[in-house]
Amino acid sequence: MLYVDGKWVEADELAVHPEDRGYNFGDGIYEVVRIYKGKMYQWDAHLTRLFRSAREIKLDLPWTAAELKDIAQQLIVKNNLTTDDDAILYLQVTRGVAPRLHDIPSGIRPVIMGFVRRKERPLADQKKGLTAQLVEDIRWLRCDIKTLNLLGAVLVKQYAKEAGAQESILHRNGIITECSASNLFAVKDNALYTHPADNLVLHGITRQTVIDLAKANGIPVHEEAFDIQFLKQADELFLSSTTAEVMPIVAVDGQPVGSGQVGPMVQKLQQLFEQHIYSEVLV
Ligand code: PMP
């Protein structure tokens, strides 16, 4: 069952208004929350980011934090998720329905939609690592907003796939930003490097968790921009996201990263991340 604009419906009953601004303009925001063992992981951080995205696109969310959490929890219950289930919860808010003009209309009601989908952790890929291709970052200059406008992300992923890789690593004028749907970290001399959380990258919740876990375990973290040359000399590379967690990248543009194998820092961070998941959701 999906939650759409105050109602519980099945997917095939769903009708989108032709002038919903999410549909016409991608004028809306979203979050993807991980569910481990039937429980939400880091809900509060996702909610905080949803409210921030709303503020940044000048959208007033008419729901309280408690109401949104209630919708999320009802999605879990109505879809019969149990402590055996790993899943994702998708929540989006569009600005609402209005005659198709670019101007932000006043007095319209935002439209909310949520669903859950069972999804296992990508453990096989985490052991083996992914291949990546460098692609020019063609997205806009507000990548910090988690907007429904994802065409740039869709295209860069496709460019990477057409070049034979599984992921894209994006660069702006030679400076590495992130991946199409995840943040990127380089490991050099036992320290972590990642782009600062500014307007050019999404402020990933997993990115912050990785930074916090690394610092708590004595691993230096540099939130500094770095270039393609640095990337190509990294000892290890990995990406971070809600669904991929800590995912190694073992080749870039057909060349091995470091030894070409999943390295010891990534393995250590994967272990710390897994402990964090289970300390949060298995309480
Ligand atoms: N960067 C981009 C462009 C993303 O779309 C995402 C989310 N899939 C991330 C980073 C990772 O964010 P999070 O860790 O909050 O899932």
Side-chain angles (χ1 to χ4, degrees), residues 30 49 139 146 178-183 202 204-207 240-242:
Y30 75 105
R49 187 169 64 186
R139 303 171 305 161
K146 203 159 170 60
E178 58 179 339
C179 300
S180 65
S182 51
N183 294 105
L202 188 77
I205 288 162
T206 320
R207 171 188 179 281
S240 69
S241 79
T242 294

Side-chain angles (χ1 to χ4, degrees), residues 59-77:
L59 173 61
D60 277 334
L61 294 182
W63 307 279
T64 63
E67 284 168 336
L68 291 170
K69 186 163 190 180
D70 186 52
I71 292 168
Q73 276 168 340
Q74 286 200 58
L75 276 165
I76 292 174
V77 171

Side-chain angles (χ1 to χ4, degrees), residues 22-81:
Y23 189 39
N24 290 166
F25 299 125
D27 185 357
I29 53 174
Y30 75 105
E31 282 295 325
V32 177
V33 182
R34 202 53 163 117
I35 294 171
Y36 292 117
K37 309 271 178 221
K39 278 198 192 165
M40 286 194 288
Y41 174 62
Q42 296 186 315
W43 165 258
D44 291 344
H46 286 280
L47 193 71
T48 300
R49 187 169 64 186
L50 186 75
F51 275 100
R52 177 183 183 275
S53 294
R55 222 170 32 245
E56 293 299 318
I57 70 162
K58 303 181 187 296
L59 173 61
D60 277 334
L61 294 182
W63 307 279
T64 63
E67 284 168 336
L68 291 170
K69 186 163 190 180
D70 186 52
I71 292 168
Q73 276 168 340
Q74 286 200 58
L75 276 165
I76 292 174
V77 171
K78 286 186 190 284
N79 288 282
N80 305 316
L81 294 190

Side-chain angles (χ1 to χ4, degrees), residues 22-23 26-30 90 92-94 146-151:
Y23 189 39
D27 185 357
I29 53 174
Y30 75 105
Y90 179 85
Q92 76 165 38
V93 180
T94 73
K146 203 159 170 60
T147 149
L148 299 177
N149 278 284
L150 289 173
L151 191 53

Side-chain angles (χ1 to χ4, degrees), residues 14-252:
L14 178 59
V16 177
H17 192 285
E19 288 188 311
D20 185 304
R21 291 176 64 94
Y23 189 39
N24 290 166
F25 299 125
D27 185 357
I29 53 174
Y30 75 105
E31 282 295 325
V32 177
V33 182
R34 202 53 163 117
I35 294 171
Y36 292 117
K37 309 271 178 221
K39 278 198 192 165
M40 286 194 288
Y41 174 62
Q42 296 186 315
W43 165 258
D44 291 344
H46 286 280
L47 193 71
T48 300
R49 187 169 64 186
L50 186 75
F51 275 100
R52 177 183 183 275
S53 294
R55 222 170 32 245
E56 293 299 318
I57 70 162
K58 303 181 187 296
L59 173 61
D60 277 334
L61 294 182
W63 307 279
T64 63
E67 284 168 336
L68 291 170
K69 186 163 190 180
D70 186 52
I71 292 168
Q73 276 168 340
Q74 286 200 58
L75 276 165
I76 292 174
V77 171
K78 286 186 190 284
N79 288 282
N80 305 316
L81 294 190
T82 70
T83 50
D84 288 334
D85 289 315
D86 291 341
I88 54 141
L89 186 150
Y90 179 85
L91 207 55
Q92 76 165 38
V93 180
T94 73
R95 198 180 301 277
V97 174
R100 192 196 171 283
L101 293 169
H102 286 187
D103 318 54
I104 293 181
S106 55
I108 62 165
R109 203 168 43 80
V111 174
I112 187 166
M113 184 274 280
F115 64 80
V116 293
R117 172 169 298 140
R118 285 173 176 77
K119 194 176 177 76
E120 293 188 355
R121 299 178 57 206
L123 297 176
D125 282 344
Q126 286 176 5
K127 276 212 171 74
K128 197 160 62 115
L130 301 180
T131 60
Q133 182 78 23
L134 275 165
V135 178
E136 189 187 346
D137 193 344
I138 59 169
R139 303 171 305 161
W140 71 333
L141 294 173
R142 289 305 307 273
C143 293
D144 56 310
I145 303 173
K146 203 159 170 60
T147 149
L148 299 177
N149 278 284
L150 289 173
L151 191 53
V154 167
L155 284 176
V156 292
K157 181 80 183 268
Q158 185 61 22
Y159 297 152
K161 281 170 68 182
E162 285 171 6
Q166 293 166 288
E167 251 311 331
S168 58
I169 296 178
L170 309 181
H171 70 90
R172 269 186 208 273
N173 302 318
I175 300 293
I176 305 297
T177 51
E178 58 179 339
C179 300
S180 65
S182 51
N183 294 105
L184 184 80
F185 286 81
V187 181
K188 188 76 190 162
D189 299 331
N190 294 313
L192 305 189
Y193 293 80
T194 194
H195 196 284
D198 60 12
N199 62 309
L200 299 182
V201 299
L202 188 77
H203 303 186
I205 288 162
T206 320
R207 171 188 179 281
Q208 191 59 50
T209 303
V210 167
I211 291 172
D212 293 345
L213 288 171
K215 287 184 177 169
N217 286 276
I219 301 163
V221 182
H222 304 282
E223 295 183 64
E224 288 168 15
F226 55 85
D227 63 10
I228 292 175
Q229 199 189 349
F230 184 87
L231 178 96
K232 296 216 160 170
Q233 288 166 1
D235 301 327
E236 302 176 43
L237 294 178
F238 66 94
L239 57 79
S240 69
S241 79
T242 294
T243 47
E245 305 173 353
V246 175
M247 179 67 74
I249 294 173
V250 292
V252 177

